[in-house]
Amino acid sequence: MTIASHTPKTEKKKSRRNKAVVVDEKAPLLPKSHVEESDAGFDDFNGASFSGAVFNLSTTIIGAGIMALPATLKQLGMIPGLLAIVLMALLTEKSIELLLRFTRAGKAVSYAGLMGDSFGKYGKALAQICVIVNNIGVLIVYMIIIGDVLSGTSAGGDHHSGILEGWFGVQWWTGRTFIVLLTTVAIFAPLSSFKRIDSLKFTSALSVALAVVFLVIAVGISVVKIISGGITMPRLFPAVTDLTSIFKLFTVVPVFVTAYICHYNVHSIDNELEDSSQMQGVVRAALGLCSSVYVMISFFGFLLFGDGTLDDVLANFDTNLGIPFGSVLNDAVRISYALHLMLVFPVVFYPLRLNIDGLLFSSSRPLVLSNFRFASLTVALIGVIFLGANFIPSIWDAFQFTGATAAVCIGFIFPAAITLRDRYNIATKSDKILSVILIVLAVFSNVVAIYSDAYALIKQNKTSKE
């Protein structure tokens, strides 16, 4: 995957200090002046490293979507499913390349600022609202999954014991509300209090490592079961029998979109790089790493469970694997994934707080220079997410809704619209053709996905009443 550089030669090598000349009015979310940052206590920060930026962007990408990808292979079949994962990585890279190109041309320093540069204040507000809706939905899903894994859930009718409940039995301190509250106070709140996203580079590296732990365990289980003859040949292509089954194939699109969405953090990471010309390499490295993990997890997850693969493959690790130490491996998978999500949370929370602040306090001083506003927004947003995690019953309905609406706008529709607007006359003919294709495919596939999900939900409710 290659991103073509359209940056003028004079901007080829831009240090973080040189970016101080960017006009602040385009993005009131971040301070660009080194003097301002010195006032805030940031004078010892000389710019983020390449590896730290890669880990932060990779952590933004690899979230809860990783557990839904094996189920997309159940819908599409092994071969089309794996090809779709690679294709989505290529489209994501292209959409980010377009964002970066117009960002350099317009000297924007935030996604919302870039949308405002092309479409005015309403475009800027729309981008901020989409990031807010997407990230709040995703963070609620993360918190619910962590509660399910550690404490247990009865959302599907049958009770599934969590890790702590399985180890220690039903206790007041193994209850869902207490576990989620403890995680929020002890982990989410402290990690969400950093004013620079680069401060999360070590936890991001650990979160990627935990995703790899899950991958290694899944591969190991698959190899053992292949040797023992416990795995059958998976379905290579989709089972298409009628029009309904064709429409059902499109329900995987929101999952793919959500799995790769990271555009809202690109500018934050780019702003902190000492050499911003490295950002294209950061994007390539992060997408290469994440798509490799996605392909392998999808392949071995579907190979392991076949047509029995659940929408959340993590739930498949709640059953007897039929191999020695199966229960230990089940717990290892679930613990590593719960810890992974805990470390992803602050990376996704960071742009959520910035966009809320930009929407509500656009004329105020930068957020990092106002400790009271920073602390108030952090506490209020974490509180909203905590309440949502305790009152929203179905995580996957919410997940597919955000993936089919806000996420697809952030990932594909907005970058394509900025390219078609082409305010600086830098888009090529192929860029505009691709942008039209992206918008048409995004709108069509997601309308079909929403229709299919709504139809299935209505049908399920009618069946349950009968």
Side-chain angles (χ1 to χ4, degrees), residues 309-376:
T309 304
L310 300 175
D311 290 342
D312 175 11
V313 75
L314 194 67
N316 286 108
F317 289 93
D318 192 27
T319 57
N320 183 8
L321 296 175
I323 61 172
F325 306 105
S327 61
V328 175
L329 292 174
N330 277 338
D331 287 347
V333 165
R334 293 192 289 168
I335 289 174
S336 64
Y337 185 60
L339 293 175
H340 165 74
L341 287 186
M342 290 179 190
L343 299 180
V344 173
F345 186 98
V347 177
V348 178
F349 185 86
Y350 184 89
L352 168 62
R353 179 174 51 211
L354 287 180
N355 281 274
I356 283 277
D357 182 72
L359 187 64
L360 300 180
F361 307 103
S362 59
S363 59
S364 301
R365 62 195 304 215
L367 179 61
V368 295
L369 301 180
S370 174
N371 291 333
F372 176 76
R373 205 165 82 241
F374 184 91
S376 299

Side-chain angles (χ1 to χ4, degrees), residues 140-164:
I140 287 174
V141 168
Y142 289 0
M143 200 174 279
I144 292 174
I145 293 176
I146 290 168
D148 291 347
V149 170
L150 296 181
S151 180
T153 179
S154 302
D158 299 325
H159 182 71
H160 295 272
S161 297
I163 292 173
L164 296 179

